[in-house]
Amino acid sequence: MLTHQVLVLLLIGYIIYTIDLKKKLFPVPVVLILIGLALSLVPYFSLLHISKNMIFEVFLPALLFTAAYQFPLKQLKENWGIIAALSTLGLIVTVVLLGVSIYWVSGFFISLSFSGALLLAAILSPTDPVSVTSIIKKSTGSEQLAGIVEGESMVNDGTSIVIFTVFLSMFKAGNGFSFGKFFGEFMLVSIGGIVIGLFLGWMLSKIIHFTHQKQYQVMLSIIVAYGGFYIAEAIGVSGVLATVVTGIMLSFEIEKTKDDNNIKDSLDGFWDIITPTLLSVLFLLIGIQAAEYLAFPHWGFAAVIFGLSLLARFVMIGGFIYTVPAWRNEFQNDFSTISLITWSGIKGSMSVALLLWLEEAVSSKDELLVSLSFAVIIISLVVQSTSIYPLTKLLGNKDKKSGFN
């Protein structure tokens, strides 16, 4: 029965992606989630369930590895500073700004503790550009802007997990915020994940030339993508960062051996099939799962939180660009740059993984946090995905010389 249901989901995903290939600007994740919400009303799909472990152990390693090894090295080399800043310190600043704002505003809607507000902010701060990077490239012609959005999302997943785990322990224990505990755990988990990723990436870059059989090269990439994630998580460090760094190391190796195109072609031939397959099932399951939590009376508060999340991100990005002279000079049209990077920060798979983690960890009396998280994620996916193209055109028409490189 379960196999039949998954095959139906794959068929739906195939149809939607086929339409997307023709229209180019079709917001696939939004459509899949809306279809998932509709499928939740069909008894045939009532037993389908997605868990935190399923996202972390099945979906994330493959999606992160593919994004990392396919990430344009030119953009990484040219924009590594702003990508690193936005995805680490920038994410922390965003969580603090959003958490304080949610706590202050919550008094007008519900009773929410400060640790609960910070936990909600930690869930909603990681970004997932899903299909918007291709839209940005097409509508603005800016490889740089798309690279910054994609690179930030790729790295901040690891940061968000560390922040979330610290705030979750505070929320469950009822303790206050400890900067020393947060900083120590953040450094340990992050550096540990990076070290494992560097080691596995170096091994992969050497071993992958051992055979020229493309099927064995693909097998090796699967082992490293999932194995690195599991090893890192097993020893208590960031599996996300381990997988991302491994993929980036492989990308450097492919760049060095351009004459050996079989490696890139064979990997792309496999992972370019796996990625839409996983995304189809993931977003459909998110829609099916979200349905049970969206029938709650606080959509007004969810809309306010969504607005606050955009404002906090806008302030953070503006603060970084305006305070660093090199970035201020690079992006001549500061407002357009800040606005587009802000609006491209869609909440997606990592936010869902964290809220499902929250669902497993808290009691029924705290399910309102889960419902609020789901509602804000749905609003973000629908509103931001469908409006990113008109926004790029609007800003582009206001200033043809936007300063994008």
Side-chain angles (χ1 to χ4, degrees):
M1 186 73 166
L2 179 60
T3 304
H4 298 165
Q5 293 165 332
V6 172
L7 285 175
V8 173
L9 296 184
L10 288 175
L11 176 60
I12 293 171
Y14 166 77
I15 294 171
I16 299 302
Y17 270 102
T18 301
I19 297 173
D20 179 52
L21 287 176
K22 295 178 179 179
K23 295 190 175 181
K24 302 295 185 184
L25 302 173
F26 205 64
V28 172
V30 174
V31 176
L32 292 174
I33 284 181
L34 293 178
I35 292 174
L37 289 171
L39 292 178
S40 68
L41 303 175
V42 180
Y44 180 71
F45 297 100
S46 60
L47 296 179
L48 287 180
H49 178 79
I50 187 169
S51 65
K52 180 259 290 188
N53 288 338
M54 190 185 299
I55 294 181
F56 274 96
E57 296 176 6
V58 178
F59 293 96
L60 278 183
L63 297 175
L64 290 169
F65 180 78
T66 307
Y69 96 79
Q70 292 183 343
F71 188 76
L73 279 182
K74 180 175 181 290
Q75 295 302 324
L76 183 62
K77 293 173 182 177
E78 293 178 355
N79 301 298
W80 69 269
I82 191 169
I83 289 173
L86 294 180
S87 58
T88 53
L89 181 59
L91 189 72
I92 296 172
V93 171
T94 302
V95 170
V96 172
L97 288 175
L98 180 57
V100 171
S101 301
I102 292 174
Y103 178 68
W104 183 78
V105 171
S106 66
F108 298 98
F109 299 92
I110 61 173
S111 176
L112 187 64
S113 66
F114 184 56
S115 59
L118 288 174
L119 188 60
L120 193 55
I123 292 173
L124 299 174
S125 292
T127 59
D128 185 351
V130 282
S131 60
V132 302
T133 51
S134 61
I135 295 176
I136 293 172
K137 290 177 186 178
K138 185 176 179 65
S139 57
T140 68
S142 174
E143 295 281 344
Q144 180 188 28
L145 184 59
I148 291 173
V149 170
E150 188 175 0
E152 176 203 3
S153 170
M154 189 170 61
V155 179
N156 72 15
D157 284 348
T159 310
S160 66
I161 293 175
V162 181
I163 297 173
F164 174 83
T165 53
V166 173
F167 288 153
L168 179 62
S169 64
M170 288 167 43
F171 179 76
K172 292 169 66 177
N175 298 331
F177 177 74
S178 170
F179 178 79
K181 177 184 178 182
F182 171 80
F183 181 76
E185 187 167 346
F186 177 79
M187 294 302 294
L188 174 65
V189 173
S190 301
I191 294 175
I194 291 172
V195 169
I196 289 178
L198 288 172
F199 175 70
L200 291 177
W202 176 80
M203 284 187 60
L204 177 61
S205 66
K206 302 303 178 184
I207 299 174
I208 203 166
H209 298 289
F210 183 74
T211 177
H212 293 286
Q213 297 294 319
K214 60 181 181 180
Q215 61 267 39
Y216 302 142
Q217 292 173 338
V218 171
M219 286 173 61
L220 180 61
S221 70
I222 297 171
I223 294 169
V224 174
Y226 281 89
F229 188 93
Y230 297 155
I231 291 171
E233 290 293 317
I235 64 176
V237 298
S238 176
V240 170
L241 289 177
T243 304
V244 168
V245 172
T246 300
I248 291 174
M249 290 282 289
L250 176 60
S251 180
F252 274 100
E253 182 63 22
I254 293 173
E255 180 76 12
K256 285 194 307 182
T257 56
K258 283 184 176 178
D259 55 319
D260 189 2
N261 291 323
N262 287 332
I263 295 178
K264 182 74 162 57
D265 292 342
S266 60
L267 291 177
D268 287 349
F270 173 78
W271 291 107
D272 284 350
I273 295 173
I274 293 299
T275 298
T277 300
L278 292 177
L279 286 176
S280 296
V281 177
L282 175 60
F283 283 111
L284 286 167
L285 287 176
I286 288 173
I288 293 172
Q289 182 108 348
E292 64 179 288
Y293 288 101
L294 297 183
F296 78 121
H298 297 291
W299 275 91
F301 187 30
V304 170
I305 294 174
F306 169 67
L308 290 174
S309 70
L310 290 176
L311 180 60
R313 181 168 168 79
F314 185 88
V315 170
M316 179 274 292
I317 294 170
F320 273 93
I321 288 180
Y322 280 114
T323 55
V324 179
W327 298 338
R328 187 171 64 246
N329 295 332
E330 186 172 1
F331 300 104
Q332 298 171 10
N333 189 350
D334 302 328
F335 179 79
S336 294
T337 301
I338 297 168
S339 298
L340 286 176
I341 296 178
T342 297
W343 204 257
S344 300
I346 299 173
K347 294 129 187 56
S349 54
M350 180 54 69
S351 290
V352 173
L354 295 179
L355 77 86
L356 292 177
W357 190 342
L358 175 66
E359 178 192 35
E360 295 178 4
V362 300
S363 60
S364 58
K365 67 183 178 65
D366 296 311
E367 284 185 356
L368 178 59
L369 287 177
V370 180
S371 294
L372 282 171
S373 300
F374 258 128
V376 176
I377 291 168
I378 297 298
I379 294 172
S380 172
L381 280 164
V382 173
V383 173
Q384 290 174 258
S385 292
T386 56
S387 58
I388 186 67
Y389 181 74
L391 180 63
T392 57
K393 290 302 182 184
L394 175 65
L395 294 175
N397 290 334
K398 284 187 175 182
D399 189 350
K400 295 294 184 181
K401 296 179 181 179
S402 60
F404 297 145
N405 295 330

